[in-house]
Amino acid sequence: MAIIMQAYRDLFMPIQKNAASAGITQLEQDQAISFLTDHQGAFARHRNDLCSLIGWDGDVLAARVRRMMEGEEFPIVSDKNASSFRKHTQGVERVRTRWKYLKSPPKRPSSSVEKTREQDRLLV
């Protein structure tokens, strides 16, 4: 259960900008997102194996987290004081933005070489 809860907490942690700052790396957060939401693959198998040890259905957990990523409310993990709530809300905004990016990363712009080749094909 501790591993599952740590992955959940990692969703809301600030992303580390330098070695002295508190938080996690973007890679660690991306792995937490994958661990908690993937339909298949190594992360999904590992989540499902761990969930089965505590009597949970890992696929149900993943579906619930995906719904929260899409807009359903995330439960607060820490105290419900104003500061914790603000940090939680900011974390939710950050993780939902990252979730959207991971689901459909922006298309890379075409290189000038590719554009030139396309233009050459159109001229022929």
Side-chain angles (χ1 to χ4, degrees):
M1 185 179 275
I3 293 169
I4 296 165
M5 290 307 299
Q6 185 61 54
Y8 186 77
R9 283 185 197 96
D10 286 352
L11 295 179
F12 309 104
M13 294 292 293
I15 301 304
Q16 204 172 29
K17 302 286 189 230
N18 58 51
S21 66
I24 60 172
T25 66
Q26 188 62 69
L27 176 61
E28 290 168 328
Q29 185 183 62
D30 291 351
Q31 289 173 339
I33 291 169
S34 294
F35 174 76
L36 291 170
T37 63
D38 281 1
H39 291 276
Q40 58 190 10
F43 283 119
R45 283 191 303 276
H46 188 59
R47 177 198 62 239
N48 289 344
D49 289 345
L50 291 173
C51 283
S52 71
L53 293 172
I54 57 173
W56 292 1
D57 183 326
D59 290 329
V60 171
L61 173 66
R64 168 87 172 145
V65 174
R66 286 191 299 269
R67 285 193 311 272
M68 290 186 289
M69 291 288 199
E70 296 294 337
E72 199 171 288
E73 188 174 325
F74 278 96
I76 261 189
V77 174
S78 61
D79 300 330
K80 292 188 179 187
N81 64 41
S83 175
S84 293
F85 184 75
R86 186 174 46 258
K87 287 179 185 176
H88 175 77
T89 302
Q90 291 167 346
V92 167
E93 290 173 17
R94 282 192 310 269
V95 76
R96 284 184 176 154
T97 299
R98 187 64 182 173
W99 164 258
K100 288 176 186 174
Y101 173 83
L102 293 172
K103 279 183 49 179
S104 56
K107 293 181 181 179
R108 292 182 11 195
S110 301
S111 71
S112 59
V113 172
E114 290 172 356
K115 288 179 184 177
T116 303
R117 288 181 186 157
E118 181 64 25
Q119 290 170 347
D120 289 344
R121 275 197 301 262
L122 293 173
L123 292 174
V124 174

